[in-house]
Amino acid sequence: MTREPSNSGDNKISVAFCCLGNICRSPMAEAVLRHATSEMKLSHLIKEIDSFGTSGFHSGDGPDRRTVQTCRANGVPVNHVSRQVRLSDFERFDYIFAMDRENLEDLKYMQPRGSKSKIMLFGAYCEDARMDKIISDPYYGGPDGFQSSFRQLDHFSRTFLKKLAAGTA
């Protein structure tokens, strides 16, 4: 059972994204949310944005080159070093957004009882009925999968930020 996210009195929240290896989807999500926050002039609402993986396969690596290419092609800077989720992340972040159901279940299993993080699928912020709420892993596919992930992440980020600004996130 998670508690509602707390802002520690500063009215800013912390957000993290999680996928399997932290080289494709979650660093892209981190970059997209950071960019959208700036574009929408909502930086006053978020104190920290980060990402990590449920596995440590790629710890210390940069994002997949296709993630970097897709972000750059869409005008979004990306700069990240992969890492694995830590137990302290469940206290550090108000929201931890999973990319798919497996990541969600892994995070819920790892989450210490009573920790503050609200763990959920980032696709919960989907407002387009034509769009999939699950962000499929594009790792084994081509550039189209990365662009599809980007479109989803941009939509989910902007929806999350609108709701956050309205106090309904």
Side-chain angles (χ1 to χ4, degrees):
M1 171 80 66
T2 59
R3 295 181 302 207
E4 285 303 306
S6 110
N7 295 336
S8 305
D10 63 7
N11 294 328
K12 287 186 169 192
I13 63 158
S14 53
V15 178
F17 296 96
C18 186
C19 65
L20 179 62
N22 192 219
I23 60 168
C24 295
R25 297 170 290 172
S26 57
M28 184 185 287
E30 174 189 346
V32 168
L33 182 65
R34 187 172 281 119
H35 184 75
T37 300
S38 176
E39 268 193 346
M40 295 171 72
K41 300 183 181 351
L42 295 174
S43 298
H44 63 284
L45 297 177
I46 300 180
K47 65 183 166 193
E48 182 178 15
I49 303 169
D50 199 358
S51 66
F52 38 74
T54 55
S55 78
F57 298 145
H58 299 285
S59 289
D61 294 346
D64 184 286
R65 66 177 169 71
R66 297 164 296 176
T67 291
V68 174
Q69 290 167 347
T70 302
C71 285
R72 286 187 181 152
N74 287 281
V76 174
V78 60
N79 182 19
H80 182 76
V81 176
S82 176
R83 72 177 183 86
Q84 187 172 12
V85 62
R86 302 177 194 114
L87 288 178
S88 61
D89 290 326
F90 295 99
E91 283 300 330
R92 179 175 167 192
F93 294 99
D94 295 298
Y95 290 90
I96 299 177
F97 292 123
M99 300 293 105
D100 61 37
R101 286 184 184 88
E102 291 80 16
N103 304 141
L104 180 67
E105 292 307 314
D106 288 345
L107 286 166
K108 286 183 175 184
Y109 178 78
M110 289 184 254
Q111 184 178 27
R113 175 171 266 131
S115 60
K116 79 171 188 176
S117 294
K118 182 175 183 177
I119 300 172
M120 58 193 290
L121 288 171
F122 197 35
Y125 291 96
C126 183
E127 291 185 334
D128 183 342
R130 298 164 298 173
M131 189 174 282
D132 195 344
K133 293 180 180 184
I134 299 299
I135 304 160
S136 297
D137 193 346
Y139 184 79
Y140 294 105
D144 289 349
F146 284 83
Q147 188 57 42
S148 176
S149 293
F150 184 91
R151 281 191 301 274
Q152 289 174 286
L153 293 168
D154 187 60
H155 172 75
F156 302 162
S157 292
R158 291 174 189 282
T159 302
F160 171 70
L161 290 169
K162 283 186 240 171
K163 289 181 180 278
L164 185 63
T168 60

